Amino acid sequence: MRHEHAVIHHRALDFWSARAAVLVIICLQLLVINDLSFGPRWLAPAIEAVLLVPLSVATAWTQMATQKAVDREHWYAIGRFRLYIRRIALVLTGVISVMNCGALVFLVRALLEGHAGAGSTLLVDALNIWVTNVIVFSLWFWSTDRGGPPTCGLVKRAQADFLFPQMTLPDREIRGWLPGFVDYAFLAFTNATAFSPTDTLPLTQRAKLLMMAEALISLLTIALVAARAVNILA
């Protein structure tokens, strides 16, 4: 179980937390009040569910396979399968990102054109978009960080995209520490609320661009949409 691909078994909770996060996003998209989606309201959740189901089945298979792997051929097969899983996961995260950004664009356009619904519905939809934004960037951070479970054993270069506080401590007990999904969720939440890094710093250009994109979407949602809704209520 010391093989590099065995991380998918040791960090099983993280993988299932990520799958559950996608399920939460699907539920949030179904709860949007105003018409803010590409095509029918069920289209985006349906596409995401179609990708989520085989992704979850594949994750369960790899977790069971790591328990039974005994030689190099078994680990090689697991590694190839994990590559397909990661690609599907990235496509799924990309689809969610596009749909959420589209919802924000439609809501802003409706505000500017004066076709938006009541102020209370705007607040609910703005909160919906903001929460979805936090979750989807949690997935992006978790999926792309070279030190995280999804890429462990798949990416040869071990450079991390984020510097977590635990990585700066000299204690031997946490020298091999890896951030989990909750750590990335906290990173996404603090970045969306503070619009800047807090206790975790971006180290690569990719990480900085991701954090900039999340902060920009959060800023538009809070400063423009939510503020406009409050004015309507007032």
Side-chain angles (χ1 to χ4, degrees):
M1 197 62 70
R2 295 179 180 177
H3 196 277
E4 55 192 5
H5 293 300
V7 67
I8 198 171
H9 173 70
H10 288 305
R11 306 298 293 274
L13 182 59
D14 286 332
F15 288 93
W16 290 116
S17 296
R19 308 297 178 255
V22 176
L23 187 60
V24 171
I25 291 176
I26 292 175
C27 295
L28 289 174
Q29 290 174 336
L30 292 174
L31 293 176
V32 172
I33 300 174
N34 296 279
D35 186 13
L36 305 174
S37 59
F38 296 106
R41 180 174 299 184
W42 54 263
L43 181 60
I47 294 175
E48 293 157 6
V50 167
L51 293 173
L52 178 62
V53 171
L55 185 62
S56 300
V57 173
T59 300
W61 181 89
T62 52
Q63 289 180 356
M64 292 186 293
T66 55
Q67 294 179 312
K68 301 178 181 179
V70 294
D71 55 30
R72 172 176 286 185
E73 293 184 0
H74 292 162
W75 289 116
Y76 178 75
I78 292 173
R80 287 182 59 85
F81 204 68
R82 284 193 62 204
L83 284 174
Y84 292 119
I85 292 176
R86 184 166 186 262
R87 290 169 185 171
I88 295 175
L90 291 176
V91 170
L92 176 58
T93 307
V95 170
I96 297 173
S97 300
V98 171
M99 294 301 180
N100 195 51
C101 289
L104 178 60
V105 170
F106 287 149
L107 187 53
V108 171
R109 186 178 67 179
L111 281 170
L112 295 177
E113 295 177 354
H115 301 309
S120 58
T121 64
L122 291 181
L123 282 175
V124 172
D125 285 345
L127 178 61
N128 191 321
I129 293 173
W130 187 88
V131 173
T132 302
N133 182 50
V134 172
I135 298 176
V136 74
F137 275 94
S138 302
L139 294 170
W140 276 123
F141 297 155
W142 182 72
S143 299
T144 57
D145 187 7
R146 297 183 187 274
T151 56
C152 186
L154 301 178
V155 179
K156 293 182 179 180
R157 191 174 65 177
Q159 179 184 1
D161 291 295
F162 299 98
L163 179 64
F164 288 87
Q166 290 87 339
M167 295 179 178
T168 63
L169 300 177
D171 298 349
R172 292 184 178 181
E173 296 180 358
I174 60 174
R175 183 171 298 177
W177 179 85
L178 281 177
F181 184 77
V182 173
D183 298 295
Y184 294 106
F186 179 77
L187 169 61
F189 178 81
T190 54
N191 186 52
T193 53
F195 310 119
S196 63
T198 53
D199 66 332
T200 302
L201 301 177
L203 300 178
T204 63
Q205 293 182 352
R206 175 176 60 185
K208 293 175 182 179
L209 289 174
L210 283 173
M211 293 189 72
M212 287 171 58
E214 184 195 13
L216 178 60
I217 295 173
S218 179
L219 180 62
L220 285 174
T221 306
I222 294 176
L224 180 60
V225 179
R228 175 59 177 167
V230 170
N231 289 335
I232 293 176
L233 290 174

